[in-house]
Amino acid sequence: MRRLPALTSLAALLAGAVFLATQPAPAPHAPDVPTRLVRDEKPARGPELIRHFFDDWHRPYPGDLGRDLQERIWEEVKAVPEKASALEDDPWTCRGPFGMFGASAARNCGRVLDVDLDSTGIRRVAAASGGIWRLDGITWTPLTDALNTQWIGSLDTSPTNPDLILVGTGEPHIRAGTGLWRSTDGGLTWQNRPLPASPATCFRVRFLPDGQTVVGAFDLGIYRSTNAGLTWSRTALPHWPTDLAIHPANPSVMWTPVQDHGLFRSNNGGITWTQVQGAGLPTSGNGRGAVTISAADPNRLYVAFAGLDNNLLGIFRTDDGGLNWIDVSPPDDYFWGQGWYNNAIGVSPTDPDLVLAGGGGLQRSSDGGLNWTTTATAHVHADVHAIEWTADGANLYVATDGGYSHSTNGGLTYFTSFNRLPITQYVNIDVGNEFPLVMGGGSQDNAVSLTIDGGIQWFVRWGGDGGGFTIDDHDNDRMWATSGLWGGSLLFRCGRSLTGGTSWADINAGLPPSTQWYTRIRSDQAQPPTLYTNNGAQVYASTNLGDLWTAANAAPFPAGVRELTVGVHDGAATAIYACLDSPTTGRRLRVFDGTTWSERDAGLVPGVLVRKVAPHPTDPRRCFALMNGMGTPGSKVYRSDDNGQNWTNITGNLPDVPLADLVAHPDDPQRLYVGTEFGAYASENGGMSWQRWNLGLPEAAIITEMALVDLRRSDGPSSDRLMVAVGTYGRGIWTRPIPMGISAAPQPQAVAAVQMRAAQPNPADLQTHLAFRIEHDGPARLRVFDVRGRVVDTLLDGPVAAGDHAVTCETRHLASGVYFARLETAAGMVSRRITVIR
């Protein structure tokens, strides 16, 4: 975020270009504009955006990083030293969303692929790129932050040992995992268990009732363990079994649908398998399948198949254990053309006629599939991944791209009050500079969401699949976004709110038709601001808050604009950086310097896309170029002090990982912070060397965008703070304080006389804990303030001996909101932020 007011003129920029505002989009310049960005075919739905996002980020490597490649990356990552953390250093703090409210009372959070139930209800969930979470009352606790992946396909708990958990990683067709993980202490620690032939992704993993036999459906076939997941064998079955159903009375009998091979059955606990040849059941030509068996009548099974075209092939029912089948398909194709992505079916354990089937939408039948009803409620998000019941049939859980939906009446109605998991997949974020913090972003499947109170409450404020997002620094009620709404002449549209996000207006006048995905929207943060967005091979600008867009480059660039950033006003002009969708030198980076656009990629490693140019927050001429994807070790980050005319390589010891963004310290030229697909990094010497900067973050956090938060102009207990904010793909938005002022040459730092750690846990529900150290005996006072400066609690007031201390802060009596714990001594004062969420 830029903090300097700026006045800029677009006269030179727009001269001679006004006529382009009403002209059709230019034809793509072959071969540098790939079909992934400019499409003529029918627009794909949301799941395709996931694959596109990572395809684009990893180029020239594939979007679905294989397991071997990920292991190589982690070897490089682990070779970078961790940044030493002094006691006073705050870790990363998650700001949410802890559930997002839409127009109704429904609450969404992010993509859940599987749920783990006990006899009374849900106990754990598997988030697509957010790890495993445990539910304690109304509080969610992450269990897999130490794993080398947050991408989870399935999980299950031993029926004889509630502390024994198995987790299958990866998501088929989207992201390779890192194998199967096993915990024997309820998720406190994990061990990776080797699997033959090293499968990449897991569809389902399930224990049998004995607690020792486990069967898993992976991309390389069915895997089986007889010692609770310690060792595994691979069975002889065609690839791509996509689900599992186990006989409730005879667990030696089980079924699995196999892509293009129909349904298979095992009679010996998964050791051998035979294709089901029952009359009326397809045995080929099927895509992804799902299968379920009724505990009330084990002869009743349902199988839902997508076709190879990913549309509905059919739902098939048997009443005689698989000898004969009838087609009980609903009239609506609820797969929405994305059968490769999600296909789930679940029958009630107490009523064999009550069955639910999910794909893009959710269908319900109470008469064995003869008649179906489409579930239409805000409490069931689109895109269903799992349908699970408790054994007594009293509780039904539907895992979706919005979290999970809970029903206590067999799917007639649902509620989503427990969707408090911070697992939103953000692609772009921004943070305001007023207090309380205003922040938000565009996310996969969960639209544009924001908070105006620092993360206490979050709201979905504009629909579709979220893209670009920016907040006006001078008026945080003004914000702009792009979102994929799947209709009209623009696949991603621009929107504006002047009311803090409560209402939005469509602002696309002057933009030509476009099928481009994930368009950006940026502001120069002048007063009033000039806005910029990308469309095809051109940049468009607006000087009237988005009411009208005009082409900023008179002639189309030689390739499409894939990223767009705006620098700091230098008194005459504002630099604009357009990264083009071309790896060809001389066609990769166009920079506007106040009068003309010019190519500025000379000196950057050739043959690679420029992912982003990150402007310096206070120096108008300094910027940083980040190279795309992988395959250029030692040539990842470059610095320019003349807006890209000359570049200096500052990669240092950064590993060859996909880079996301860079934030430069506003005052200290030596301090730089980089976000990547494999965590965060910091440099204190201008990029000569880097350290891992992940304290508090999940080990494998996927960072997608960063922002500088400067609260020094604001009033309140934290007005003297600088922070870095990051958006992640699957773990929401996080912030971390950074030092103020200019650092001296590296030398041992004096120990502060008063030090206090960040509150843990934070956010808090019933209580939190504060640890502090003072160097000398003397009086000390530790009080808690609300945002208005009123004392709400006094934790300590009296003489304290030198050394380490810990104090418990009871928060159960406090309303949801932001508070500050302030420690005052004769040697100094320090404060820490506490967030209370109910």
Side-chain angles (χ1 to χ4, degrees), residues 547-825:
D547 285 337
L548 179 66
W549 297 93
T550 306
N553 50 316
F557 296 134
V561 179
R562 63 194 300 271
E563 179 58 277
L564 177 67
T565 51
V566 182
V568 179
H569 191 71
D570 68 356
T574 301
I576 306 168
Y577 306 95
C579 300
L580 306 188
D581 197 36
S582 169
T584 304
T585 300
R587 303 157 67 98
R588 295 187 292 173
L589 175 62
R590 294 298 162 96
V591 179
F592 179 75
D593 59 6
T595 56
T596 60
W597 290 91
S598 58
E599 179 66 35
R600 298 279 175 91
D601 75 338
L604 301 177
V605 60
V608 182
L609 294 163
V610 180
R611 176 159 184 84
K612 188 174 190 176
V613 173
H616 193 279
T618 56
D619 186 337
R621 296 180 60 78
R622 177 166 288 193
C623 59
F624 303 85
L626 281 65
M627 307 312 295
N628 197 70
M630 294 166 290
T632 55
S635 302
K636 307 291 294 184
V637 183
Y638 294 79
R639 187 195 76 235
S640 174
D641 295 322
D642 52 17
N643 287 332
Q645 297 183 67
N646 298 279
W647 295 98
T648 300
N649 189 333
I650 60 167
T651 302
N653 61 327
L654 275 177
D656 186 17
V657 299
L659 304 181
D661 206 351
L662 182 149
V663 163
H665 194 288
D667 307 322
D668 188 342
Q670 299 302 310
R671 295 187 185 274
L672 304 174
Y673 307 93
V674 165
T676 79
E677 194 173 333
F678 292 80
Y681 299 82
S683 175
E684 297 179 344
N685 53 19
M688 292 178 59
S689 62
W690 297 83
Q691 296 173 309
R692 297 186 71 201
W693 195 50
N694 288 329
L695 183 64
L697 271 180
E699 178 79 355
I702 301 173
I703 296 172
T704 52
E705 191 161 50
M706 309 176 77
L708 175 68
V709 187
D710 191 342
L711 300 178
R712 291 178 294 182
R713 300 188 311 178
S714 304
D715 294 329
S718 66
S719 60
D720 59 346
R721 301 294 293 275
L722 290 172
M723 290 189 290
V724 172
V726 297
T728 69
Y729 200 87
R731 289 300 294 268
I733 296 176
W734 298 64
T735 61
R736 186 173 185 179
I738 58 176
M740 292 195 305
I742 299 176
S743 60
Q747 56 184 328
Q749 295 184 353
V751 177
V754 184
Q755 304 166 60
M756 184 163 62
R757 287 187 183 274
Q760 292 293 334
N762 194 13
D765 179 13
L766 302 179
Q767 63 179 210
T768 188
H769 306 281
L770 295 157
F772 65 91
R773 171 184 291 172
I774 58 176
E775 295 299 316
H776 306 286
D777 296 350
R781 183 166 59 176
L782 179 58
R783 296 182 293 174
V784 180
F785 296 81
D786 65 14
V787 294
R788 296 184 180 181
R790 299 174 298 190
V791 176
V792 298
D793 201 354
T794 298
L795 306 179
L796 177 68
D797 192 357
V800 176
D804 296 324
H805 302 271
V807 176
T808 297
C809 175
E810 298 291 340
T811 58
R812 67 189 74 228
H813 65 285
L814 299 177
S816 295
V818 175
Y819 299 86
F820 294 91
R822 177 184 293 169
L823 176 63
E824 299 167 279
T825 74

